[in-house]
Amino acid sequence: MANIITPDLCDEFPEVKVAEPGFNNYGGIKAFGGEIVTVKCFEDNSVVKEQVGLPGEGRVMVVDGGGSKRHALLGDMLAEKAASNGWAGLIIYGCVRDVDEIGNTDLGVQALDTYPRKSEKRGLGDLNVPVTFHGVTFQPGQFVYADNNGIIVSEKPLV
C-alpha cells in the first residue's frame, strides 16, 4: 500500500470523515489502511479471535468494544495471528495488552489504552454491523486509514 499520511489525505479528499482524537498507535506498522470489517463486542473478544484466524486480505478490523477499559480485546497471540493471515490492522475502541510484543508485530494497531486483563470468552459479538464511536460511523465495506495523526474514513479507496 502507498504511503499513508492522513493530513495529506484530508487535504486531497476533504469529504473524508475524521475520528475524534484519543487513539494510540501500538502496532509495528504505524500507518495503515484498508477496507473495513467491523466487530461489535463488549469485554468479549470471541468474534475478534475468530476473525483474525481468517484471511484478512489487507483489510482493517474496526472493533467497537464500547470503550471499556476493564478488559483487553487484543493481545500478542491474536495480533500475530492477524499479521500472519494478512490483516492490515485493527482499530479498537477499547484496550490492548502485550504491547511490547504487539509493537514488534507486522500489523497496524490503534486502541484507546492498555490493560493487562484478557477479555472474557462468552461467544458474544456482532460481525459487519455499523459501529459508531469518536464521532464517526464505520460501515463494513468503507475504507479506513490511520497513522500517528489520526483516523479517517472514506467511502472509496484513497491510496
Side-chain angles (χ1 to χ4, degrees):
M1 179 167 282
N3 196 20
I4 295 170
I5 303 170
T6 58
D8 292 350
L9 291 174
C10 285
D11 292 349
E12 187 174 349
F13 304 98
E15 72 277 7
V16 299
K17 296 178 255 173
V18 180
E20 296 166 356
F23 287 84
N24 299 301
N25 239 331
Y26 295 103
I29 296 176
K30 300 300 181 194
F32 60 98
E35 185 177 348
I36 295 173
V37 171
T38 65
V39 173
K40 186 174 181 75
C41 58
F42 186 74
E43 299 181 355
D44 180 343
N45 72 347
S46 299
V47 177
V48 173
K49 181 178 181 181
E50 173 186 292
Q51 290 302 301
V52 298
L54 301 174
E57 301 170 342
R59 295 174 295 171
V60 175
M61 191 182 313
V62 176
V63 181
D64 180 354
S68 172
K69 294 188 177 183
R70 296 185 301 208
H71 294 275
L73 296 175
L74 182 76
D76 61 338
M77 292 187 292
L78 293 186
E80 182 56 43
K81 186 176 277 193
S84 66
N85 282 326
W87 288 88
L90 288 91
I91 296 171
I92 300 174
Y93 182 47
C95 290
V96 297
R97 68 186 205 157
D98 303 314
V99 295
D100 295 329
E101 292 85 358
I102 289 175
N104 292 321
T105 303
D106 194 23
L107 183 70
V109 177
Q110 288 206 8
L112 295 178
D113 216 331
T114 63
Y115 195 74
R117 186 180 309 278
K118 67 181 179 179
S119 84
E120 298 175 4
K121 303 280 191 296
R122 299 182 314 267
L124 302 176
D126 296 309
L127 178 64
N128 283 330
V129 297
V131 298
T132 302
F133 53 84
H134 280 244
V136 174
T137 298
F138 299 83
Q139 300 269 3
Q142 290 179 326
F143 293 81
V144 64
Y145 302 93
D147 64 8
N148 283 326
N149 297 289
I151 298 170
I152 64 172
V153 178
S154 172
E155 296 293 328
K156 62 182 181 183
L158 303 179
V159 293

